[in-house]
Amino acid sequence: MDKIDSAAKRKELYSEAFIQQLHQRMETDPCGAYLEEVTARCLCEQPGWNPENPLCVWTVLETAVTCFPAEQMIKRSLDAEDWQGLNRVGFQSVRLRALGLRLNPGEEFWYFFQALTAIAVGDDGLMEWIFPAGMEKKVPKKVYPLYRVGTPLLAGLWYQDQALLEFAVPAGEKFAASKKSQWDRAVVAYLLALYRRDVKEAGKQLQTVCQAVTRVDVYWEKEPFLPAHGLYQLAAHVLSEEEFGRLAMPDYKTFSKGYARWHNVHRGALALALLYLEQPINDALTREWPPRRPG
């Protein structure tokens, strides 16, 4: 991606003809259109583009978040039963969706879905970056109730932090018995079932999660709903191999059994589904991110 200082060239990149051509290309080649848009916005909005400048890289990534064609790419992978491709799309999507936490490091409780999706795709490092070990018990009241109750349960189970679980489990039990939405209660009830190692109940609640999410307004792709896959893979982290083998997979369109079976036996290096033209942008997404809290 060359540095462009020409105002005329930047005007051409934002011309009506270019935008119309880009929209047409989105219909037939969403991935190519996406990369073209990210490139064009980089050149237009940053005439002094410098890939060695972290600020330039992060500005491009902000653009990359808003137009990443996750839904189209996921559908393509599902239709082809390309489970590795689906995992790569999920990995790239969740990395992009977690970028906001780098700018707002105190807002981690709002990243509950991102943490579950990180578990779903095998990005344990991102899960632990979002929710580091040693989480404080006090959760801000302004946080959405599911996240406020579910986050300490999730972190407590992940790290087997008994002190955190002693605080989180009673709050979770109260929430699960409340009149909150069925979907919210099912997520918490599933986490509680894992804590009790009640595999049958966990399977029942995960089925409810996958069915009820179709009636919930969430800013996330629902076929498959990767946070539900994260809940499923969390069980592999918490339960014994024998217990996990008895956990029933949900039988519903929001859960891909083929992808889950593939993931149960395939662990390895994570990779982006789409590479950007400048390697520093790819590196910024895939490398280990600096801790949000002093070590």
Side-chain angles (χ1 to χ4, degrees):
M1 195 185 300
D2 297 326
K3 177 178 176 180
I4 291 183
D5 293 318
S6 167
K9 181 62 177 176
R10 296 197 300 275
K11 184 177 181 180
E12 176 187 330
L13 286 170
Y14 260 172
S15 68
E16 183 177 346
F18 172 80
I19 294 172
Q20 185 177 25
Q21 177 267 332
L22 191 63
H23 286 175
Q24 290 173 347
R25 189 176 180 189
M26 286 178 181
E27 298 294 325
T28 57
D29 182 17
C31 297
Y34 167 70
L35 292 176
E36 186 174 357
E37 181 173 3
V38 171
T39 302
R41 290 193 180 187
C42 168
L43 296 176
C44 290
E45 296 173 7
Q46 296 191 91
W49 164 255
N50 176 7
E52 302 303 319
N53 183 339
L55 181 59
C56 285
V57 174
W58 286 106
T59 301
V60 175
L61 285 172
E62 287 179 0
T63 296
V65 173
T66 61
C67 51
F68 184 65
E71 186 174 354
Q72 298 96 317
M73 295 175 69
I74 287 172
K75 185 179 185 305
R76 185 180 300 175
S77 297
L78 277 176
D79 290 345
E81 297 187 354
D82 177 7
W83 310 127
Q84 184 177 60
L86 174 59
N87 204 68
R88 287 177 174 176
V89 175
F91 168 67
Q92 187 162 357
S93 179
V94 73
R95 283 271 169 158
L96 287 167
R97 285 171 161 171
L99 289 173
L101 191 54
R102 294 197 66 168
L103 303 176
N104 301 284
E107 299 291 321
E108 65 263 32
F109 293 102
W110 291 98
Y111 286 74
F112 184 68
F113 279 175
Q114 284 88 337
L116 287 175
T117 303
I119 296 172
V121 302
D123 192 354
D124 295 356
L126 180 59
M127 157 61 198
E128 294 177 358
W129 180 82
I130 296 172
F131 298 138
M135 176 180 290
E136 295 182 6
K137 297 178 182 179
K138 186 177 181 180
V139 183
K141 289 186 177 181
K142 67 177 182 178
V143 175
Y144 182 66
L146 170 60
Y147 309 157
R148 190 167 66 239
V149 175
T151 295
L153 275 172
L154 173 60
L157 289 168
W158 182 264
Y159 293 109
Q160 289 297 292
D161 184 336
Q162 296 305 316
L164 184 57
L165 287 169
E166 286 177 8
F167 156 79
V169 169
E173 291 172 337
K174 182 178 179 180
F175 185 92
S178 72
K179 294 183 179 180
K180 301 293 184 183
S181 76
Q182 180 189 34
W183 185 73
D184 286 7
R185 287 185 286 110
V187 172
V188 171
Y190 173 80
L191 295 172
L192 290 170
L194 289 188
Y195 169 74
R196 301 188 187 101
R197 311 185 87 86
D198 186 341
V199 176
K200 184 176 180 180
E201 179 66 14
K204 174 185 173 183
Q205 295 299 336
L206 191 55
Q207 178 73 25
T208 301
V209 168
C210 290
Q211 291 177 328
V213 74
T214 59
R215 303 189 296 273
V216 177
D217 185 17
V218 293
Y219 183 61
W220 220 270
E221 296 76 26
K222 294 184 179 180
E223 293 187 28
F225 184 56
L226 287 180
H229 279 266
L231 290 170
Y232 176 74
Q233 292 299 333
L234 175 66
H237 183 82
V238 172
L239 302 176
S240 69
E241 184 176 351
E242 186 274 332
E243 289 170 326
F244 180 65
R246 290 191 283 111
L247 178 61
M249 290 186 188
D251 186 15
Y252 204 64
K253 61 184 179 181
T254 54
F255 190 91
S256 171
K257 291 184 179 181
Y259 173 56
R261 293 190 188 100
W262 175 87
H263 202 288
N264 286 344
V265 296
H266 289 87
R267 303 276 176 168
L270 295 164
L272 300 177
L274 288 177
L275 292 175
Y276 301 96
L277 298 182
E278 287 286 346
Q279 189 57 36
I281 301 175
N282 300 316
D283 292 342
L285 273 183
T286 57
R287 287 180 179 171
E288 183 178 349
W289 291 350
R292 295 187 301 105
R293 299 175 185 173

